Amino acid sequence: MKSLNTRVAIIGAGPSGLLLGQLLATRGIDNIVLEKETGDYVLGRIRAGILEHGFVDLLREAGCGHRLDAEGEIHDGFDIYVNGETHYIHLRELTGGTTVVCYGQVEITHDLMDAREAAGLVSYYEALDVQPHDVLSDHPRVSFRHQGEEYEIACDFVAGCDGYHGVARQSIPESERTEHHTAYPFGWLGLLSDTPPVSKELIYCKHERGFALASRRSAERSRYYVQVPLTDRVEDWSDEAFWDEFRTRLPPEAAERLITGPSIEKSIAPMRSFICEPLQYGNLFLVGDAGHIVPATGAKGLNLAASDVAALFQVLARVYEAGDRYCVPRYSEIALRRVWHGVRFSRWLTGMLHRFDTETTGDLPSEIYSRFKQSELEYFLASEAGRRVIAEQYVGLPYETL
Ligand code: FAD
Ligand code: DHB
């Protein structure tokens, strides 16, 4: 067996794990990343695209903001289309100058991977059977297999950045964690295509046939979504069927501009929320999707992963720079406060913008629930105060400091 040593063992080379690794490296805090897939596989996952300003600042702090600053698109706002009318949520004006940046998760992961390699930091891709041990002690270990060899890392902390299906959360005894789950009976069918996007900024559409979102990755690449029942399978949706449905749900002037083309990727993401409490067990921390999932509306998933990283980075920097270990238990509390806000906001937007055939909440049948949600949306869009409530949360609530 090969023995390794580091300060922080990071499980998962998604955006959470790689960003944490880079930030720690800026303060000279040694870390090793363990990823079960290949780098190409990780880069093949098409996911998020809208970044809060706090995340952008964090990427810059990690020394990974150059391409983002050059190629990322600043979006001043977005449209909400409902009842045949388009309402502009002017993020910049409503929040006193804050905006979001459109830059794909794949590009972020690429930049973080390149930076990690350039800095000569240690990563093991295709690391199998990763398993944390003794995380309640001051001497945790992580074992894994790589290219037929057994390895063990001795470390101070383990960061579980390994997504919803990872090993980190499962290694916390069930009696020591609570999992809160909710699920909608629908998902988003997403299509990526190399076609000029229908709009310079995003359009969230509420249509009687269901929700649709026109998003983008660049001037040449579109990312579009339509709400579909969870019973639909992606194989049942030809590109033509997607384009027809998407066009129907767009505002007419956007539908006229729509340029279609072959899909590069097509998948259905279920709409659900999940929070694990607490987000730590001794010296093991859960970061990003390992600890929580949000419904996609509002683009909070990746952004909450980033705010977890910010909280954990502060804690670990304090441990190593000030010798203060008392701050360690505060990670979960700080990260969770923002996570609950994110899940609440995403559910709120989902409720107002989607079609509900079967949702019942408490004593409300779907017809009444839908009418309340419609009235809520109209109320919030009609007033500047209402639009500000949406804008403030969309650009991202402030990060908490220790
Ligand atoms: P992940 O990106 O899941 O990374 C975890 C990494 O850990 C993976 O590389 C995985 O291979 C690795 N891993 C897992 N198990 C192990 C193990 N046992 N050992 C070692 N490594 C392991 N968010 C948005 O904001 N907007 C969107 O449009 C959006 N779309 C999404 C679509 C889909 C289909 C999904 C699944 C998510 C989407 N999200 C979206 C959410 C967003 O992509 C995630 O919040 C983000 O990827 C979280 O990053 P992460 O690093 O925490 O987890
Ligand atoms: C995207 C996804 C979202 O959930 C959202 O609210 C906005 C944009 C996207 O993938 O581009």
Side-chain angles (χ1 to χ4, degrees), residues 46-50 102 188 202 204 211 213-217 223-225 271 295-301 349 394:
I46 310 295
R47 292 180 173 179
I50 296 293
C102 182
W188 282 10
L202 272 55
Y204 289 80
F211 171 81
L213 169 62
S215 183
R216 53 189 281 143
R217 291 293 175 268
R223 181 62 163 160
Y224 298 142
Y225 301 95
M271 296 287 279
T297 331
K300 288 294 169 227
L349 275 189
Y394 194 88

Side-chain angles (χ1 to χ4, degrees), residues 81-82 204-208 210 352-354 373-374 377:
Y81 173 66
V82 54
Y204 289 80
C205 311
K206 178 169 189 164
H207 189 273
E208 59 189 18
M352 290 193 298
L353 294 174
H354 286 69
K373 288 291 156 192
Q374 177 71 18
L377 179 59

Side-chain angles (χ1 to χ4, degrees), residues 234-248:
V234 71
E235 306 81 72
D236 303 334
W237 280 89
S238 64
D239 285 3
E240 287 66 36
F242 178 93
W243 290 119
D244 285 347
E245 190 59 47
F246 181 65
R247 188 184 290 106
T248 306

Side-chain angles (χ1 to χ4, degrees), residues 11-16 34-37 42 45 47-48 105 130 161-163 166-167 225 269 287-289 299-302 305:
I11 309 177
S16 306
L34 302 176
E35 165 61 51
K36 77 168 183 198
E37 307 289 352
V42 173
R45 288 191 294 233
R47 292 180 173 179
Q105 178 167 337
V130 175
C161 304
D162 50 352
V167 64
Y225 301 95
V287 182
D289 280 18
K300 288 294 169 227
L302 182 58

Side-chain angles (χ1 to χ4, degrees), residues 251-262:
E253 51 304 347
E256 268 178 36
R257 288 196 302 268
L258 180 67
I259 298 173
T260 63

